[in-house]
Amino acid sequence: MTFKRALAIALAAAAALPASAAAQAQIQPPDGDNYLSPIGLSDFQRPQPFPKTEIGFVADTTNYTTQSDLFNPPSSGGPPEPTGCPAAYGKTIWSVFHADRWGVMQIDTAGPFDTVIGFVPFKGPTTDPTPQINRGICIDRLSGFEEQLSSMVQPGHWYAVQVGGTGAVQGGQVQVKFHYLKPPAVKSDVVLSWNTARSGATVSKLVVQAPKGSKVSIHCTKHGCKAPRSFSVKKPAAFRPIAPVGPVASAPGGVEMTAAGSSGTVGPVGAADGSAARVAAKSEPVRAAKKFTLMKGAKLKANTHLVIQVTQFGHIGSYFDYAVGRNGVGTKTIRCTNPSSNKPRKKC
């Protein structure tokens, strides 16, 4: 039975249960201990859309290990497994999934020890499973026996999730939950002050409020103004990167991942709450917006539009539109854009 088929059966069976009694897979050791034999949350050959409800599994990692070479077995020459965040951690279990849409993957862990979560992109389980550790992140932020990591994910990309423990007790019964949340919306606003001018308007000031990490773009249709160049609002790194391991070659030919046994299938662990607020709060540390005063004295021609866009990686973007007439500027129209797109949506 393929993982796709087994997952579908698990989801159908759990759907008949109350949310409080929803199923969660019990992983049998040593499933998921080795990187090349992870718990498959997506079918390796034909990945289907990731469930909108929360899914997860429970595993006993008491006897789990870490690898000096992630490609051994069955091959060799791979990178060592990350084990510092920066504190040392061990007894790790691996799972992988395919992102089919823009969003935020929220991963929650709970167990009788201090858990660490690593999040690592890679090209594909059957093409090149080499972990892109230089692009990975890890989190060991919460005190106590719970941890949470949330990261933007891109459609068409594969990700590996590493869960381990730090401290005197590094392994034991651990619960791992995955919740694929909608993309957060970029938090921005625009205020335009203007004076009526012959056949159009003159800008007193254009104030753009945009968060760190976003990009601001301004243009006028039909060459109706001299718009400033696009610019980015800089921000520091959001998460601690996984320790670098130096240059790593791609996996040798024929090396691919093999999904863990049937015990690795997962089902819902609770109803999705769809909380957009949690996405914005947990996807990265809160950062204050910055205000920019632009286009003082600029001329806006009649029968054109002044358009301001604020975009941010993985976020729903903001689109502000001012129509310019012969007697001045009309009211602001607010729309939104999909992540990685500049085209305004009809509905937000």
Side-chain angles (χ1 to χ4, degrees):
M1 180 183 295
T2 67
F3 261 80
K4 178 178 68 176
R5 178 62 177 160
L7 175 60
I9 292 174
L11 290 173
L17 300 174
S20 60
Q24 51 187 329
Q26 180 68 52
I27 304 303
Q28 299 300 320
D31 284 355
D33 188 3
N34 292 334
Y35 171 74
L36 288 182
S37 183
I39 309 303
L41 306 180
S42 301
D43 183 81
F44 286 3
Q45 300 294 334
R46 296 182 179 179
Q48 302 297 305
F50 200 91
K52 294 182 179 180
T53 52
E54 195 173 73
I55 63 175
F57 60 81
V58 173
D60 186 349
T61 61
T62 300
N63 297 316
Y64 276 49
T65 62
T66 55
Q67 300 171 263
S68 59
D69 182 344
L70 288 176
F71 293 161
N72 187 19
S75 183
S76 63
E81 181 171 355
T83 57
C85 191
Y89 61 93
K91 297 187 181 295
T92 56
I93 183 170
W94 288 92
S95 54
V96 301
F97 71 91
H98 179 264
D100 62 281
R101 57 194 183 272
W102 284 101
V104 172
M105 179 58 77
Q106 178 179 295
I107 304 164
D108 292 273
T109 61
F113 56 92
D114 184 4
T115 50
V116 176
I117 306 174
F119 191 80
V120 186
F122 64 99
K123 290 184 179 180
T126 60
T127 53
D128 186 355
T130 305
Q132 299 171 12
I133 294 176
N134 60 330
R135 293 177 53 200
I137 54 176
C138 66
I139 223 67
D140 182 19
R141 185 169 52 191
L142 301 180
S143 59
F145 298 147
E146 297 182 351
E147 192 56 75
Q148 183 181 92
L149 181 149
S150 296
S151 180
M152 298 290 181
V153 292
Q154 295 177 259
H157 288 234
W158 284 89
Y159 300 90
V161 177
Q162 177 202 43
V163 175
T166 185
V169 179
Q170 296 185 336
Q173 194 85 347
V174 62
Q175 181 185 48
V176 185
K177 298 188 293 183
F178 300 82
H179 196 178
Y180 205 138
L181 300 165
K182 294 180 180 180
V186 65
K187 296 184 180 298
S188 60
D189 198 9
V190 170
V191 177
L192 174 66
S193 300
W194 53 273
N195 295 311
T196 302
R198 184 176 182 181
S199 297
T202 300
V203 176
S204 297
K205 63 180 178 179
L206 173 67
V207 179
V208 179
Q209 179 174 304
K212 293 180 180 179
S214 64
K215 179 180 179 181
V216 178
S217 302
I218 302 171
H219 74 274
C220 289
T221 61
K222 302 178 182 179
H223 304 286
C225 69
K226 292 183 179 180
R229 292 183 178 181
S230 300
F231 61 91
S232 298
V233 185
K234 295 182 179 180
K235 72 168 185 178
F239 293 111
R240 178 185 295 112
I242 287 181
V245 297
V248 178
S250 297
V255 174
E256 59 183 49
M257 287 182 169
T258 302
S262 60
S263 64
T265 58
V266 295
V269 298
D273 62 11
S275 172
R278 275 207 303 172
V279 182
K282 298 295 184 180
S283 60
E284 60 181 31
V286 176
R287 306 187 186 283
K290 298 187 69 175
K291 290 185 178 181
F292 303 89
T293 301
L294 309 165
M295 298 186 70
K296 288 184 177 180
K299 305 294 184 181
L300 304 178
K301 295 180 181 179
N303 301 318
T304 65
H305 287 257
L306 171 63
V307 177
I308 305 95
Q309 291 182 261
V310 182
T311 56
Q312 190 172 357
F313 176 80
H315 288 63
I316 296 172
S318 297
Y319 186 99
F320 305 96
D321 185 339
Y322 289 95
V324 184
R326 291 187 176 276
N327 298 316
V329 182
T331 57
K332 176 174 61 179
T333 299
I334 303 175
R335 300 174 73 178
C336 61
T337 59
N338 288 325
S340 76
S341 173
N342 291 319
K343 184 178 180 180
R345 293 165 48 176
K346 293 182 179 179
K347 294 183 179 181
C348 294

